[in-house]
Amino acid sequence: GFGILRVIDCHPDGNMVLLPDGGKKKGEVVGTWKAVESKSVEKKYTLTWYQGKYVHNLAMNRAGDKLKGTSNSGHEIEAERVK
C-alpha cells in the first residue's frame, strides 16, 4: 500500500517545493536537498524537510527515474520522477 504521497519539485538551488493538488498548483518551499558523495556507482541524496524534522537518505536507480531509501524514523521511502 501507499503511505503519504507528495509531489515535490527539487530546484537546482537546493530547495524542495511541495506542489499541492498533485502538482497543479504553485507550492511552498518545505525543505532542501543535496547530493551526497558516494563511493558506489549509484547517486545518493539527502532530502531534509521542515528544518530537519524529517530526513530522507535516498539512492537513485541506474535509469535515473526512481529513488529508494529510509527516513530518520526508519520508514522505507520510495520516490519516482513525474514527467
Side-chain angles (χ1 to χ4, degrees), residues 4 14 20 31 53-54 56 61 63:
I4 298 171
K53 185 174 181 180
Y54 307 105
H56 298 165
N61 69 354

Side-chain angles (χ1 to χ4, degrees), residues 25-59:
K25 296 181 183 175
K26 185 177 179 179
E28 64 176 299
V29 174
V30 293
T32 59
W33 70 274
K34 67 178 180 176
V36 178
E37 283 191 39
S38 173
K39 293 181 181 180
S40 66
V41 173
E42 58 192 12
K43 294 179 181 178
K44 295 185 178 183
Y45 300 91
T46 297
L47 282 62
T48 303
W49 298 77
Y50 304 108
Q51 293 83 36
K53 185 174 181 180
Y54 307 105
V55 179
H56 298 165
N57 294 300
L58 306 169

